[in-house]
Amino acid sequence: MKNFRPIRLKDIYTARRRISEIAQRSPLIYSSVLSERLGSAVYLKLENLQPTGSFKIRGAANAILGLSPDQKSRGVIAFSTGNHGRAVAYVAGRLGIKAVICLSKRVPAYRVNAMQKLGAEVVQRGNSQDEAYEYALEIREKSGLTMVNPFDDPLVIAGQGTIALEVAEDLPDVTSVIVPVSGGGLISGIAVALKSINPDVAVTGVSMDCAPAMFHSLQAGKPVEIEEKDSLADALLGGIGLDNRFTFQLVRDYVDRIILVSEREIADAMFFCLDQQRLAIEGAGAVGVSAILTEKIRDPGSKTVVVLSGGNVDTATLVQIANKRYGNKNEK
Ligand SMILES: *Cc1c(COP(=O)(O)O)cnc(C)c1O
């Protein structure tokens, strides 16, 4: 186990120095309500407070700052369900680099608008991530733009891993981390960093049960395609790529387990974050909280960190979820 080392702890420290002017050090807060539920201490890592509303700014900053001057002058291209595109648009905007973002037509309008506001050129094509990806490859051929991969890139993984360096400093005796999983860049970076510091820390991934690409790929022993569904955790949609080079093996080697949560459980967790923590958290960002509320996490050890990976939910969705919960409460 753990022979596959495309990134090392030192790469993650390098990433941290490089991205420090663009990504924030995010707060780690103690949650008394979740601690009570779990029966041991729970802390929340608030990546929803990043300038672009998600952790993706870390990997995008590390990848873009790592380009050559010539690549920077030609610009970057990305395909994304939203948060990665937004991060690439933001970082490129801050550095004065041109950015083109390819999206599938499934990506909600509020996410598209956010990227356009940051100065990026947005093109929408196809009904899946994979189709948007194909189109991005076509544009790249013609334009000489450099692709910034959303997860399957060592610089991106190292950037996401900087979260774990902050956790290890703020909570040196952390025993367990719970991390949302889609393509696996976030959890790979965190797992490599934390397990390099302390191999005993348990790393648990959480995905939505309607389309968990990494989960099915692990079961199959190789990257597999899955059908895309609509999910409250829209930022977790998309495959891991049949030609996956890094995150599949890293997750297989470094992550202890992946658990699944339902749409209803995700909505409950979003409501819980709003109602009990006063935090607006998107579906993808709330799956770790679902894992605790549903008691799918057992035996977590004494100090658990839940990564709240993003807060880019539109207000209408959040209000709808809250209204339903209050409606149900009043019915009896
Ligand atoms: C992208 C994203 C994830 C999943 O990250 P991966 O590196 O693709 O596993 C989780 N939460 C949010 C909010 C995201 O935007």
Side-chain angles (χ1 to χ4, degrees):
M1 214 184 80
K2 291 175 196 166
N3 300 326
F4 186 62
R5 302 290 297 269
I7 63 161
R8 289 164 184 272
L9 190 56
K10 73 171 171 30
D11 301 316
I12 300 173
Y13 278 106
T14 304
R16 172 142 110 171
R17 278 195 299 279
R18 202 188 250 160
I19 70 176
S20 64
E21 306 227 320
I22 292 182
Q24 303 280 310
R25 182 189 182 102
S26 66
L28 183 73
I29 63 163
Y30 177 73
S31 167
S32 41
V33 266
L34 284 172
S35 299
E36 209 167 287
R37 292 283 187 117
L38 193 63
S40 59
V42 177
Y43 299 78
L44 302 173
K45 182 69 171 159
L46 303 185
E47 287 297 303
N48 58 304
L49 298 182
Q50 291 290 350
T52 60
S54 87
F55 71 92
K56 290 254 179 21
I57 189 173
R58 295 176 185 261
N62 197 38
I64 294 174
L65 286 164
L67 297 176
S68 71
D70 179 51
Q71 287 173 315
K72 284 180 184 160
S73 73
R74 276 177 288 162
V76 294
I77 182 165
F79 63 101
S80 163
T81 51
N83 284 333
H84 173 63
R86 191 156 162 172
V88 168
Y90 176 84
V91 174
R94 284 274 304 263
L95 300 173
I97 293 171
K98 173 185 164 149
V100 176
I101 314 294
C102 289
L103 303 174
S104 86
K105 290 180 188 155
R106 279 175 175 268
V107 176
Y110 69 94
R111 288 189 184 272
V112 174
N113 296 340
M115 282 179 255
Q116 285 167 334
K117 268 196 205 138
L118 292 169
E121 190 184 315
V122 176
V123 279
Q124 285 188 278
R125 208 31 112 77
N127 282 315
S128 71
Q129 270 286 89
D130 293 341
E131 285 173 74
Y133 175 59
E134 292 301 323
Y135 190 57
L137 291 180
E138 243 176 72
I139 300 180
R140 180 181 64 171
E141 278 307 296
K142 292 180 204 148
S143 63
L145 300 167
T146 301
M147 182 78 78
V148 185
N149 192 289
F151 54 84
D152 202 27
D153 175 313
L155 288 178
V156 172
I157 296 166
Q160 323 304 29
T162 59
I163 291 172
L165 301 182
E166 296 169 10
V167 167
E169 284 168 5
D170 290 348
L171 194 68
D173 48 356
V174 56
T175 53
S176 161
V177 288
I178 303 175
V179 186
V181 177
S182 176
L186 174 63
I187 200 168
S188 294
I190 288 176
V192 168
L194 276 183
K195 297 218 173 189
S196 303
I197 295 168
N198 175 5
D200 294 333
V201 176
V203 179
T204 301
V206 189
S207 298
M208 69 296 202
D209 64 7
C210 68
M214 183 63 81
F215 179 83
H216 285 311
S217 298
L218 290 171
Q219 286 199 322
K222 61 175 198 295
V224 293
E225 276 188 56
I226 51 154
E227 196 193 324
E228 269 194 33
K229 305 267 172 62
D230 283 326
S231 172
L232 267 176
D234 58 287
L236 299 185
L237 291 172
I240 68 166
L242 292 178
D243 54 352
N244 188 293
R245 294 174 60 203
F246 303 105
T247 59
F248 173 71
Q249 287 193 70
L250 284 169
V251 171
R252 194 190 57 194
D253 292 355
Y254 287 85
V255 172
D256 297 287
R257 60 192 162 167
I258 293 185
I259 60 176
L260 304 179
V261 295
S262 70
E263 291 302 302
R264 199 210 155 100
E265 290 164 352
I266 295 170
D268 287 343
M270 291 169 78
F271 178 67
F272 181 91
C273 289
L274 184 65
D275 192 50
Q276 301 288 316
Q277 300 284 163
R278 302 292 167 210
L279 292 170
I281 302 297
E282 63 183 282
V287 295
V289 172
S290 309
I292 291 182
L293 295 180
T294 56
E295 299 177 6
K296 289 178 183 176
I297 295 285
R298 293 213 186 85
D299 200 17
S302 55
K303 291 192 176 171
T304 299
V305 170
V306 181
V307 178
L308 299 186
S309 53
N312 291 324
V313 54
D314 70 325
T315 311
T317 304
L318 211 51
V319 167
Q320 208 177 14
I321 288 171
N323 275 338
K324 244 192 211 160
R325 297 297 178 286
Y326 279 118
N328 288 345
K329 257 189 209 165
N330 295 337
E331 262 166 30
K332 292 235 165 91

